[in-house]
Amino acid sequence: MRRLFPLFLLLGGCGLHPLYGGGPSSAAGRLLATVSVDPIDGQAGWLVRHSLIDRLGSASRTSAEYRLEVELDDQIVGLGINDQNTVTRERRTLRARYRLVDTSRAGVVVVDATAGADAGIDVTSSDYSTLAAEQKTLENVSDEIADQIVARLALYARRAG
């Protein structure tokens, strides 16, 4: 421990700062608390929207300072084919284009970005297990998309605030 002490002194000068340093009173915390999430089409949209609401702590705020608009593209593509010409592996890809709109500045878009996630799915002889795997994969990639979006919004808040 004694030999590591000088290394701890160097960490303070490296320029790294916690994104959520200060908790709810940080720039990221303040911005994220003022974001409303527009409805998103489809089952994937419902999952992503509710994941975002969970992470932002926002419900359907009507007087929010920012509005988050999200468009999704959800695809499942068969990858592996066995000797009976049957798909044995699928890849689920979820892509999101999102915009953070500042409602107090006449709808100026302050963040316009994309997020993406994908995962592989084993296709079995049981339709039920394959469908369950596809559903669970959709839930997982929806959470990953929401994490990416919230991290990007927090980064914007840190830079802007």
Side-chain angles (χ1 to χ4, degrees):
M1 180 71 173
R2 184 175 270 195
R3 293 176 15 160
L4 294 177
F5 182 71
L7 293 176
F8 291 120
L9 293 176
L10 294 175
L11 287 177
C14 71
L16 295 176
H17 304 283
L19 188 57
Y20 296 101
S25 63
S26 68
R30 287 190 312 271
L31 180 128
L32 295 178
T34 63
V35 175
S36 70
V37 182
D38 281 357
I40 309 168
D41 292 335
Q43 180 185 18
W46 187 88
L47 290 167
V48 169
R49 182 172 189 265
H50 284 278
S51 292
L52 286 166
I53 289 170
D54 286 346
R55 285 155 180 76
L56 296 171
S58 64
S60 57
R61 295 189 177 110
T62 55
S63 62
E65 292 178 37
Y66 295 93
R67 184 179 73 245
L68 184 62
E69 302 170 348
V70 181
E71 299 167 11
L72 296 176
D73 179 29
D74 181 23
Q75 296 182 2
I76 297 179
V77 177
L79 295 178
I81 298 176
N82 64 13
D83 54 353
Q84 285 103 18
N85 247 2
T86 306
V87 174
T88 59
R89 186 94 175 136
E90 295 175 335
R91 175 185 216 128
R92 181 163 221 150
T93 305
L94 186 62
R95 301 283 177 247
R97 176 164 186 223
Y98 59 95
R99 288 170 293 283
L100 184 65
V101 178
D102 187 342
T103 59
S104 65
R105 295 191 306 178
V108 172
V109 176
V110 294
V111 175
D112 187 350
T114 59
D118 59 15
I121 303 165
D122 287 328
V123 177
T124 65
S125 60
S126 167
D127 289 342
Y128 175 78
S129 66
T130 301
L131 190 61
E134 289 173 352
Q135 180 62 33
K136 184 61 180 170
T137 301
L138 178 59
E139 293 169 11
N140 291 341
V141 294
S142 295
D143 284 343
E144 192 173 332
I145 292 285
D147 288 340
Q148 290 176 29
I149 291 172
V150 170
R152 176 63 177 88
L153 297 182
L155 189 60
Y156 164 75
R158 173 93 171 150
R159 290 179 179 157

